[in-house]
Amino acid sequence: MGNNINELEQCALYLIQDTISGDFKIGISNNPAERKKEIRNQYNVGDLRGISITWFLTRNEALFWERKFHQKFKFWHSPERGGKEWFSLSSKQVNDFIKWMRASTKKRNENIDTLRELLDS
């Protein structure tokens, strides 16, 4: 009943890297390409490299996972970038995050396939 329409739209959790500092940003957006442009203008960064992305069916779900990863990496905040979404991560941390994102995407796709089968029968 109190749901805002924006809370009900698909939303992505993304990991991007600033090519100058090497720092990573963990964020959410329903339009990652547009958000990337905003980040270029908002922060003192060079080119941004998309590392990984996974989609969720609602903004609230993406926000939940964004908060979890911000908490997980809170000791690796980037002092150069400022804010709570920029991190200086190791290769292992990035690779583990990418593995989690791929597993999340695979699970979501399996759930969608199961739902389609139920609706088709």
Side-chain angles (χ1 to χ4, degrees), residues 31-78:
N31 186 342
E34 187 62 33
R35 181 65 183 128
K36 199 173 175 184
K37 291 176 194 170
E38 292 170 359
I39 292 167
R40 272 194 205 106
N41 295 330
Q42 187 177 357
Y43 297 95
N44 181 23
V45 295
D47 287 334
L48 296 172
R49 187 167 70 104
I51 303 296
S52 191
I53 191 168
T54 188
W55 286 87
F56 294 95
L57 296 178
T58 67
R59 183 171 191 83
N60 285 342
E61 190 178 8
L63 189 59
F64 171 83
W65 288 108
E66 179 192 40
R67 286 183 190 138
K68 288 282 190 191
F69 282 102
H70 286 178
Q71 180 69 23
K72 177 182 174 81
F73 297 129
K74 69 181 178 185
F75 297 115
W76 291 276
H77 276 131
S78 167

Side-chain angles (χ1 to χ4, degrees), residues 7-109:
E7 294 172 354
L8 300 176
E9 66 185 350
Q10 287 190 39
C11 192
L13 174 69
Y14 61 81
L15 178 67
I16 58 173
Q17 184 178 31
D18 170 22
T19 57
I20 291 177
S21 68
D23 292 338
F24 296 89
K25 184 176 187 312
I26 299 169
I28 63 170
S29 177
N30 62 349
N31 186 342
E34 187 62 33
R35 181 65 183 128
K36 199 173 175 184
K37 291 176 194 170
E38 292 170 359
I39 292 167
R40 272 194 205 106
N41 295 330
Q42 187 177 357
Y43 297 95
N44 181 23
V45 295
D47 287 334
L48 296 172
R49 187 167 70 104
I51 303 296
S52 191
I53 191 168
T54 188
W55 286 87
F56 294 95
L57 296 178
T58 67
R59 183 171 191 83
N60 285 342
E61 190 178 8
L63 189 59
F64 171 83
W65 288 108
E66 179 192 40
R67 286 183 190 138
K68 288 282 190 191
F69 282 102
H70 286 178
Q71 180 69 23
K72 177 182 174 81
F73 297 129
K74 69 181 178 185
F75 297 115
W76 291 276
H77 276 131
S78 167
E80 290 180 29
R81 298 297 130 234
K84 62 179 178 149
E85 297 188 342
W86 287 95
F87 303 89
S88 298
L89 302 176
S90 70
S91 295
K92 179 172 180 3
Q93 288 169 316
V94 170
N95 288 335
D96 288 348
F97 190 30
I98 291 169
K99 284 180 194 172
W100 179 88
M101 291 177 98
R102 286 182 181 152
S104 172
T105 298
K106 183 179 179 200
K107 182 177 181 195
R108 181 188 51 111
N109 290 342

